[in-house]
Amino acid sequence: MRLLILGTGGMANQHAANFKAIDGVSVVGGVDVVPERLAAFCSEHGIPNHFSSLEQALAWGEFDAVANVTPDRIHHPTTLQAVAAGKHVFCEKPLATDAIKAMEMTDAIEKAGKVGMVNFTYRNSPALQKGRQMVLAGEIGEVRHVEASHLQSWLVGRHWGDWKTESKWLWRLSKKHGSNGALGDIGIHIVDFASYGSGLDVAHVFARLKTFNKAPGHKIGEYDLDANDSFTMNVDFTTGAIGTIQATRTAAGQMDQLRLRVYGETGSIEMIYDTGKSTLRACLGEDVHTATWRDIAFEPVETNYQRFVQAVRAGRTQEPSFRRAANIQKVLDKALASDISHKDEALG
């Protein structure tokens, strides 16, 4: 498989390294509007062909698939261009900035018969994959209650850099720079994590979003600091189960932790991803009478990068698909609407 990497910012390095490690995959080109960044990226990863626009790359055309690592608002137009040119697409999350655009992308790639997958990176957690298997196998009975959180602290600590002085963080706090805040950035991950791990689909959302005062006048340079920093949502699932989902960038002491607890009629399962480390625990069988939790063993799992390559070779999309990402975006859109209406919002 010959791969083009579109956008050569920070996350693109993960794409290049992971795809190059897969037998038979060649990263043959890079695209970026910033010449210096493009040149440095291609030099670091040994990528032979450089393009200043997607149009130039498509005119050349000597590749099978595109890894779309552009800013969020650019995913929609560039993916549609790639699909129209007959290319498979592996897109960074979110698929688009709203569900209407995400569904347009989904319909386009499905109609074209091409593989379209989205990089929900926390799907790579073996604890999540094993925990989901246990839930779907009925090991905790019918799911009744779900609690999920995604906790980061880069607005409090400087472990990832100083957000007040670095554009790669400031844009995530500014609506006019394309950010939907914590909801759009990490909310999409925890909604997928919770829904996928529990095996349930969200039916209704009641959400609250909060933006905190972080600088005089809520502004640093060209960046208006108006995107949400934290959110909570209460959800109903289509099965009748209920749950809470929350995320924040202000959780001091938590670098990057996703935690999901799924409570069923006969037991419970906890899945944790914490800054690269996965943990799985369960309270099952007779242990429910003593509230005893035990660690559950799991095996390594294939990454999204590996699954995408397999999907292209087989000509059949695997999960997480464009359609899955579009459905998760619907939940986020309804959360935004709920925060404005102060009402429960139903997913159509």
Side-chain angles (χ1 to χ4, degrees):
M1 190 186 84
R2 300 166 302 170
L3 182 74
L4 179 85
I5 296 183
L6 175 63
T8 61
M11 191 63 191
N13 292 292
Q14 292 292 321
H15 285 252
N18 278 279
F19 278 120
K20 287 185 68 176
I22 301 172
D23 287 344
V25 176
S26 301
V27 181
V28 296
V31 183
D32 205 301
V33 296
V34 181
E36 297 80 9
R37 183 169 62 199
L38 174 64
F41 175 81
C42 290
S43 175
E44 179 179 353
H45 297 287
I47 299 172
N49 299 286
H50 311 178
F51 304 96
S52 61
S53 70
L54 178 58
E55 289 79 6
Q56 285 184 1
L58 292 173
W60 173 62
E62 298 298 317
F63 56 96
D64 309 297
V66 176
N68 193 337
V69 204
T70 58
D72 297 354
R73 66 184 183 276
I74 309 300
H75 292 173
H76 174 259
T78 53
T79 292
L80 291 179
Q81 283 181 268
V83 173
K87 308 301 181 182
H88 306 284
V89 180
F90 184 69
C91 190
E92 262 304 317
K93 63 79 192 171
L95 183 57
T97 53
D98 62 64
I100 293 175
K101 290 186 178 71
M103 196 56 68
E104 182 183 355
M105 296 159 72
T106 300
D107 290 341
I109 205 158
E110 289 180 353
K111 183 178 180 180
K114 295 299 176 180
V115 171
M117 294 174 60
V118 178
N119 193 24
F120 287 126
T121 52
Y122 301 101
R123 290 283 190 99
N124 300 335
S125 166
L128 175 67
Q129 297 292 344
K130 176 66 174 179
R132 170 181 163 87
Q133 290 174 11
M134 294 172 68
V135 171
L136 294 181
E139 294 191 35
I140 63 171
E142 180 182 329
V143 175
R144 293 175 171 172
H145 191 97
V146 173
E147 58 172 290
S149 62
H150 192 163
L151 307 177
Q152 294 182 344
S153 57
W154 57 268
L155 284 178
V156 181
R158 291 190 292 273
H159 40 271
W160 289 345
D162 183 359
W163 67 265
K164 295 181 180 180
T165 62
E166 298 182 41
S167 60
K168 68 177 181 179
W169 301 114
L170 283 167
W171 82 265
R172 298 174 186 269
L173 308 175
S174 175
K175 291 180 182 178
K176 74 178 182 183
H177 286 82
S179 177
N180 280 332
L183 181 71
D185 186 19
I186 58 178
I188 194 165
H189 281 307
I190 194 58
V191 171
D192 178 68
F193 201 86
S195 176
Y196 182 77
S198 65
L200 304 177
D201 294 317
V202 175
H204 297 87
V205 177
F206 184 83
R208 284 292 175 270
L209 280 62
K210 183 69 175 182
T211 305
F212 302 108
N213 184 7
K214 298 179 291 299
H218 303 279
K219 189 178 181 70
I220 294 179
E222 65 179 281
Y223 299 93
D224 296 321
L225 308 183
D226 54 355
N228 62 86
D229 303 309
S230 296
F231 75 83
T232 61
M233 65 172 76
N234 295 327
V235 300
D236 296 320
F237 296 100
T238 55
T239 60
I242 63 172
T244 60
I245 302 174
Q246 62 175 328
T248 185
R249 295 160 165 169
T250 64
Q254 302 292 348
M255 194 173 292
D256 188 32
Q257 185 201 73
L258 291 83
R259 191 181 84 162
L260 170 63
R261 279 187 169 178
V262 185
Y263 300 101
E265 57 183 334
T266 62
S268 303
I269 294 177
E270 179 183 62
M271 311 162 215
I272 299 175
Y273 172 93
D274 194 346
T275 320
K277 180 182 178 181
S278 289
T279 305
L280 180 63
R281 302 193 311 148
C283 180
L284 306 171
E286 293 300 308
D287 284 342
V288 302
H289 303 298
T290 57
T292 301
W293 290 77
R294 301 183 190 275
D295 290 335
I296 304 295
F298 47 76
E299 299 295 326
V301 297
E302 292 176 329
T303 66
N304 291 335
Y305 305 99
Q306 292 168 318
R307 285 193 290 271
F308 177 71
V309 173
Q310 291 172 2
V312 169
R313 288 171 175 166
R316 186 172 63 253
T317 294
Q318 294 190 30
E319 294 296 333
S321 65
F322 273 27
R323 186 160 294 276
R324 168 66 180 184
N327 287 333
I328 295 297
Q329 191 63 49
K330 290 179 182 178
V331 178
L332 303 189
D333 287 3
K334 292 299 184 180
L336 288 167
S338 175
D339 184 59
I340 295 170
S341 70
H342 287 202
K343 296 179 180 178
D344 179 90
E345 296 284 343
L347 275 79

